[in-house]
Amino acid sequence: MILRSTRTLSETSITRKAKKRRHLSVEVALEPNPTTPGAEQGHYLQQTARTTKPETETKWEPPQWREQLENIREMRREKDAPVDVVGAAELAAKDLPPAVRRYQILVSLMLSSQTKDHVTAGAMHRLQKHGLTVENILKTQEDMVAQLIYPVGFWKRKASFIKKATEILTTAYTGDIPSTVEGLVALPGVGPKMAHLAMDIAWSTISGIGVDTHVHRISNRLGWLPRETQKPEDTRKGLEEWLPRSEWSDLNWLLVGFGQKICLPVGPKCGQCLNRDICPASLARRRPRP
């Protein structure tokens, strides 16, 4: 004879102040042990249990992010920000051999760090006029590279980074750029933001969100993170926890242009922003002070 019963067991914490108890559904099959005398009368019963896992918790996401993002798309519809004209994707010539174009994209990203877009564009134009290929930069003296890229931010260090990275591309990648984030960040002067943007722009591969100062600032202002972040890399990780992957590619372009035109670092133009009534930072600015 087999007896079956279903019981409910409570998982409790050591104290009685647990916020919520989870329950496991346990099915216990009571079967006679055939090796035990008297088993046919049910004198000895063997128990087996099967448990079901508790349901997973709901993923956090900002309550109004879809409306906020669509509003930003609308505000970026004219494509009239500096990034639309002299961004990294625009500075590399379109009619180049693929490997040369990828190299120019990487160099433009390296130059753009801590530098205004129009300054980066000027440096790129001078490099291109000089001959912005792996072969030509390899035989160009570092001092000359520095002169060509001046006055980008940290121009001396960037000249050194470009020369060293170009040497690595020649010896390790047959003159092309790495096709992985790991390979890109291993290059001198290339950080996670540049690597993810290079993967997207140069290789058409979405590996992560490129978070610069604009994306970092605006994401925190909109309340797109569970808690305020201090570093762009922490912002990237926080965004990637909840933002659908289909939105990753456009996010940098959308927020950089939005940050250049409306959501400025100092004196944001909240009166012109479609998100003014659903942006925590905008609402906080308008709240009367005690």
Side-chain angles (χ1 to χ4, degrees):
M1 177 179 64
I2 298 177
L3 304 178
R4 293 188 178 273
S5 64
T6 301
R7 302 173 183 171
T8 300
L9 303 178
S10 295
E11 288 185 342
T12 62
S13 63
I14 296 177
T15 69
R16 295 180 178 274
K17 296 182 180 179
K19 293 182 179 179
K20 187 176 181 181
R21 294 183 177 182
R22 295 179 300 170
H23 292 82
L24 298 178
S25 175
V26 180
E27 182 178 290
V28 181
L30 304 179
E31 302 176 354
N33 188 334
T35 63
T36 303
E40 63 279 2
Q41 285 82 25
H43 292 168
Y44 182 89
L45 298 177
Q46 181 179 4
Q47 298 187 6
T48 61
R50 183 170 65 250
T51 64
T52 58
K53 295 181 179 179
E55 294 183 1
T56 57
E57 296 181 359
T58 304
K59 182 174 65 174
W60 180 90
E61 65 178 38
Q64 294 176 294
W65 74 268
R66 294 183 188 276
E67 183 180 356
Q68 291 167 331
L69 187 58
E70 285 309 307
N71 285 339
I72 293 172
R73 287 189 199 279
E74 177 60 26
M75 290 183 282
R76 292 283 287 115
R77 186 163 51 87
E78 298 298 326
K79 299 181 180 179
D80 55 355
V83 70
D84 301 310
V85 181
V86 287
E90 309 302 322
L91 292 176
K94 301 291 192 295
D95 56 350
L96 295 171
V100 177
R101 175 169 163 74
R102 286 191 285 268
Y103 176 66
Q104 292 198 4
I105 289 169
L106 178 63
V107 171
S108 70
L109 288 169
M110 294 174 73
L111 293 174
S112 68
S113 176
Q114 303 294 312
T115 305
K116 298 288 186 180
D117 282 343
H118 71 276
V119 177
T120 301
M124 280 293 293
H125 292 154
R126 291 189 293 274
L127 284 171
Q128 289 167 332
K129 186 176 180 179
H130 173 77
L132 187 50
T133 64
V134 168
E135 296 78 12
N136 201 36
I137 296 301
L138 194 63
K139 60 186 181 184
T140 301
Q141 294 296 318
E142 186 176 314
D143 288 346
M144 176 57 71
V145 175
Q147 291 178 34
L148 291 168
I149 67 174
Y150 177 85
V152 301
F154 306 101
W155 53 279
K156 289 185 178 180
R157 290 180 61 192
K158 288 180 180 178
S160 175
F161 289 154
I162 290 171
K163 282 289 293 182
K164 291 176 181 177
T166 302
E167 292 170 3
I168 295 172
L169 300 184
T170 303
T171 57
Y173 297 97
T174 62
D176 208 339
I177 72 171
S179 58
T180 65
V181 171
E182 293 76 16
L184 287 164
V185 296
L187 296 174
V190 178
K193 179 204 76 172
M194 298 179 206
H196 290 302
L197 289 175
M199 289 297 296
D200 187 1
I201 301 169
W203 291 108
S204 299
T205 299
I206 310 304
S207 58
I209 300 171
V211 176
D212 68 350
T213 56
H214 293 290
V215 179
H216 173 65
R217 178 180 73 256
I218 294 168
S219 296
N220 277 283
R221 284 180 176 176
L222 289 171
W224 281 4
L225 300 151
R227 61 194 61 84
E228 187 176 357
T229 55
Q230 302 300 320
K231 299 178 181 179
E233 184 62 6
D234 292 334
T235 299
R236 179 187 70 80
K237 293 176 181 178
L239 290 172
E240 290 178 2
E241 284 290 324
W242 63 266
L243 187 68
R245 198 178 184 90
S246 59
E247 305 287 359
W248 290 11
S249 179
D250 283 346
L251 193 69
N252 180 272
W253 170 78
L254 285 169
L255 295 193
V256 169
F258 178 56
Q260 291 173 336
K261 296 288 290 184
I262 296 177
C263 198
L264 306 176
V266 180
K269 301 176 182 178
C270 296
Q272 301 177 24
C273 182
L274 299 179
N275 285 324
R276 58 186 173 272
D277 293 328
I278 54 174
C279 170
S282 177
L283 293 172
R285 284 188 185 88
R286 288 182 284 160
R287 188 177 300 126
R289 293 184 179 182

